[in-house]
Amino acid sequence: MIRRPRGTRDFGPDEMEARRYIESLMRREAETFGFREIATPVFEHAELFTLKSGPNILAEMYAFLDKGGREITLRPELTAPAIRFFVNELAELPRPLKIFYTGPCFRYERPQSGRFREFYQFGVELIGVQNPESDAEVIALAASIMDRIGLKGYRIRVGHIGILRDKLKVAGVPGETVPVILQKLDKKLYDEAVPLMKEAGMDEKSIEETIGITEMSGPVSVLEEVGGEAKSYLEEVFGVLEASKVSNLQIDLGVIRGLDYYTGIVFEIDVPKLGAEKQVCGGGSYSLSELFGGEKVFSTGFAIGFDRTLIALAKEGFEAPRRRVEVHVIPVGDATRSKAFEITAMLRKEGIGADVDLMRRNLAKNLKYADSIGARRAVIVGEKELGFGAVTVRDMVSGEQTTIPLGDLPGYLKGTRDFGV
RNA sequence: GCCGGGAUGGGGUAGCCUGGUAUCCUGUGGGACUGUGGAUCCCUAGACCCGAGUUCAAAUCUCGGUCCCGGCCCCA
């Protein structure tokens, strides 16, 4: 027996139905906001990902040399490919450029709850502008998607990485030390952050203030204690979000994110009931294009962890509407078998989902089968009715039967399609 | 990379401590019932994660590996 590689999953019909359903809701919502779908390759030059975040990331990438000696990696995320695509070919589209994408990503990590080596992301980028409206637009879309798919127990925490960056810069922290300190602050590891800040030359007062900032969370009013440009910027963002009727929203200046390239607002959506892997979406504004050889262009985007989102929905009792075939066509005996296929083909041409007996089962078994696949109706093709050019249509829920002339069958099935159940 | 708990037909399980090739439920296929389902009964097929060791004998004990679950690290 050959088994699945570690950290990967197979998806059965029920699961795929649920996944496609949720995915289509996300797509539709993004399209409603004026975003259009793109797709990029599953593998890229490893350099694309090491450029922006350093070689330590290589440890978690599925990287390898291809037969031409190129350093290739399965994509660990989708933002960098999207921006590469933008720089390469999309830079001349009208701005703001609003794109979204979805697909599998790969990270060589220890699998655990809500964490896989092959996982799926759904992300968007709004490229070419950075102001409170564009940031709010992206956050509003993230929230709308969560609402549209019916997720309830989520919260959005919005921060502004510029506040901390400025603070550290003003205090004279050298550029290369900033990410290290930010990382500790992100994890709230103050015991480790404080010595680092001292070492970087910060005085007691600014250290205290810095930690104070990371602990600020709550309604917009907490910004009163901050002041500065970032404050008014965030207030404007929240103003637009309020006008857009986005809820489940709070300020949290402790939101930092692991990425170095974020410059402005940053936000995360998490679902507390998921435990350790509770973050279902992360995003912010950044500029990456210049790293890939393009002009410097600001963008705001987010990535939704598709798998975790589904786990969260499942925990809330979500069930995808089951796709069912409209009718199951049952020949009674061998004599009408070929006629049954004729009728099935005719129904399918009319766009009516039809299944037909392929097991040569008797009528009783076929009805049982029709029930188990959830067919709404059974079309019983028997010699008696065929004698006068008709078939029997049985409603699988009520058990009612009607004799329908063959010519009227598609119309009957279509016309009453939404009734019953 | 680290720590803990697991792995028995497709799904769910009993058996494991105290070694003697496996229980039950459900699902699959067939039949009772070759023109009427979701009930019942019967039949059939189907499993001890992999490898090594101990033993007359291993699902059971020992070791190694793989995978899963939960947590740490990390999360671009």
Side-chain angles (χ1 to χ4, degrees):
Chain A
M1 241 222 328
I2 297 177
R3 273 184 296 229
R4 233 186 296 133
R6 186 172 166 77
T8 63
R9 291 156 297 160
D10 296 313
F11 303 109
D14 286 346
E15 213 168 350
M16 276 315 289
E17 229 163 77
R19 293 177 72 89
R20 290 297 189 210
Y21 174 72
I22 294 301
E23 191 184 302
S24 72
L25 291 181
M26 289 183 175
R27 275 207 172 84
R28 208 172 309 152
E29 199 61 18
E31 283 162 358
T32 301
F33 272 66
F35 287 74
R36 298 174 71 203
E37 185 165 7
I38 63 160
T40 59
V42 166
F43 58 88
E44 296 269 2
H45 290 292
E47 190 189 11
L48 175 65
F49 303 102
T50 51
L51 253 184
K52 65 172 178 178
S53 316
N56 58 320
I57 287 166
L58 265 169
E60 292 196 344
M61 292 203 308
Y62 272 93
F64 56 93
L65 288 181
D66 73 5
K67 293 184 182 187
R70 288 171 279 258
E71 277 193 36
I72 296 295
T73 186
L74 300 183
R75 60 189 182 194
E77 53 125 355
L78 293 169
T79 300
I83 297 303
R84 173 195 57 68
F85 186 23
F86 164 76
V87 168
N88 292 358
E89 292 168 64
L90 304 178
E92 275 149 52
L93 291 180
R95 301 194 191 166
L97 180 59
K98 301 164 93 173
I99 54 176
F100 72 94
Y101 43 75
T102 182
C105 298
F106 307 83
R107 294 183 194 179
Y108 194 91
E109 293 183 285
R110 181 81 166 79
Q112 61 187 66
S113 173
R115 193 152 153 183
F116 309 94
R117 288 185 171 178
E118 181 191 42
F119 60 99
Y120 289 75
Q121 283 197 343
F122 179 98
V124 318
E125 311 296 336
L126 192 159
I127 305 172
V129 58
Q130 182 182 39
N131 61 34
E133 299 93 289
S134 64
D135 287 348
E137 173 90 337
V138 170
I139 295 173
L141 172 55
S144 290
I145 286 176
M146 296 303 158
D147 291 340
R148 180 67 71 186
I149 64 176
L151 188 67
K152 293 182 188 70
Y154 74 89
R155 53 176 189 174
I156 308 174
R157 290 147 50 234
V158 183
H160 194 302
I161 195 67
I163 297 175
L164 282 173
R165 284 194 193 282
D166 285 352
K167 195 85 201 163
L168 296 179
K169 192 175 173 190
V170 168
V173 175
E176 65 272 17
T177 320
V178 171
V180 189
I181 294 175
L182 286 180
Q183 196 229 326
K184 298 299 179 196
L185 291 176
D186 187 24
K187 303 273 181 245
K188 306 276 188 274
L189 296 172
Y190 300 126
D191 292 349
E192 298 177 40
V194 171
L196 283 169
M197 289 192 279
K198 276 184 182 154
E199 211 173 293
M202 290 176 70
D203 57 46
E204 292 283 342
K205 184 164 168 273
S206 54
I207 288 178
E208 216 169 279
E209 287 172 359
T210 303
I211 288 179
I213 290 170
T214 66
E215 286 175 333
M216 281 182 193
S217 64
V220 194
S221 53
V222 302
L223 291 171
E224 295 304 328
E225 302 168 44
V226 185
E229 259 178 66
K231 177 206 173 201
S232 46
Y233 190 95
L234 271 178
E235 281 172 348
E236 280 188 64
V237 172
F238 270 63
V240 178
L241 287 172
E242 230 164 82
S244 309
K245 301 278 183 279
V246 174
S247 50
N248 296 328
L249 206 59
Q250 57 176 280
I251 293 279
D252 186 343
L253 299 182
V255 175
I256 288 168
R257 318 260 324 122
L259 277 164
D260 293 355
Y261 58 74
Y262 285 112
T263 50
I265 62 125
V266 283
F267 69 99
E268 295 181 348
I269 300 179
D270 53 39
V271 179
K273 64 167 90 66
L274 287 184
E277 305 295 322
K278 65 179 195 293
Q279 193 188 320
V280 298
C281 174
S285 65
Y286 61 89
S287 107
L288 265 180
S289 49
E290 70 276 16
L291 267 180
F292 304 150
E295 54 171 331
K296 186 175 174 95
V297 175
F298 283 101
S299 308
T300 306
F302 64 75
I304 290 173
F306 191 77
D307 307 286
R308 288 180 191 179
T309 305
L310 278 164
I311 292 170
L313 275 176
K315 286 203 174 181
E316 292 183 356
F318 163 83
E319 275 182 61
R322 184 173 170 191
R323 202 174 287 277
R324 317 194 293 179
V325 74
E326 191 70 24
V327 301
H328 179 54
V329 180
I330 306 172
V332 181
D334 291 333
T336 59
R337 201 166 296 285
S338 78
K339 192 70 186 174
F341 280 96
E342 205 178 288
I343 291 167
T344 303
M346 183 263 288
L347 292 177
R348 288 171 174 168
K349 249 181 205 135
E350 292 285 340
I352 297 167
D355 198 356
V356 58
D357 173 48
L358 300 172
M359 299 281 283
R360 302 189 179 181
R361 280 191 271 233
N362 64 32
L363 181 54
K365 290 279 179 183
N366 263 313
L367 285 172
K368 193 175 174 179
Y369 172 76
D371 178 60
S372 69
I373 62 169
R376 286 168 214 275
R377 295 194 176 75
V379 171
I380 299 167
V381 184
E383 288 184 85
K384 278 190 292 191
E385 305 92 307
L386 271 184
F388 49 94
V391 292
T392 297
V393 176
R394 180 183 180 87
D395 185 301
M396 291 303 292
V397 177
S398 67
E400 279 172 45
Q401 297 196 164
T402 322
T403 303
I404 306 290
L406 270 178
D408 298 344
L409 187 58
Y412 175 80
L413 292 173
K414 283 182 188 170
T416 55
R417 185 179 277 182
D418 297 327
F419 298 165
V421 181

